[in-house]
Amino acid sequence: MRTERWRYRKMNITIRNMQPGDADALYKLLSDPAVMRYLEPPFDREQTEAFLHQAGLTKPPLVYAAEKNGSFIGYVIYHAYDRGSVEIGWVLLPEYWGHGYASVLTDRLIDRARQEQKSVVIECAPAQEATKRIAVKKGFRDCGICDGLAVYRLP
């Protein structure tokens, strides 16, 4: 199996394939009510394990682990959205909110999509202001609401 790692010097952030050993850190993230506020109800251990296997350990993965200096800080979303686009996003532990990590991760995911000659989509809950601010700051255009989610597209 090919292990994929995207390393960035800025902030010592690495994006890498999820591993079975990420289950504990992922559970800490997905069981936190603050983290899950705009996503779903907090996950129990069984839901976390299912998510890890169905989204992180699939081929190709739908999500990747994000690390700072080798420590799990959350995950990024990177997968096909439609024929010409990828969906990107991030879910981070609260201690990494408001410090620029989501912005740096967004830049790296956009760079990756550009290398693949894909356009980029971000979906979020309409009330999720932090995500919307990043989308606007990065030049995404507001495409309205689809299936209850705000959709932003970067051509």
Side-chain angles (χ1 to χ4, degrees), residues 2 28 43 63 70 74 103 115 124-125 131 134 146-147 151:
R2 184 172 156 248
K28 177 182 176 191
F43 282 18
V63 301
S103 184
Q115 290 172 8
C124 65
T131 299
I134 289 172
C146 182
D147 297 327
V151 178

Side-chain angles (χ1 to χ4, degrees), residues 15-78:
I15 298 172
R16 63 161 175 80
N17 286 45
M18 289 273 192
Q19 303 165 356
D22 291 323
D24 289 339
L26 190 60
Y27 175 66
K28 177 182 176 191
L29 177 72
L30 297 177
S31 65
D32 185 318
V35 170
M36 300 301 281
R37 178 176 178 194
Y38 298 109
L39 301 173
E40 298 179 50
F43 282 18
D44 62 23
R45 187 61 187 221
E46 186 176 317
Q47 289 170 305
T48 301
E49 293 280 348
F51 177 82
L52 176 61
H53 288 280
Q54 295 166 2
L57 300 178
T58 61
K59 293 182 186 179
L62 303 175
V63 301
Y64 295 82
E67 295 180 336
K68 177 178 171 53
N69 297 326
S71 295
F72 184 92
I73 66 169
Y75 68 84
V76 297
I77 299 160
Y78 188 90

Side-chain angles (χ1 to χ4, degrees), residues 95-124:
E95 55 264 36
Y96 296 96
W97 297 355
H99 299 286
Y101 294 98
S103 184
V104 169
L105 289 166
T106 300
D107 289 341
R108 301 297 71 89
L109 296 170
I110 291 170
D111 289 347
R112 173 78 181 235
R114 293 289 188 232
Q115 290 172 8
E116 296 175 1
Q117 299 180 336
K118 301 284 186 180
S119 65
V120 185
V121 173
I122 293 175
E123 287 187 331
C124 65

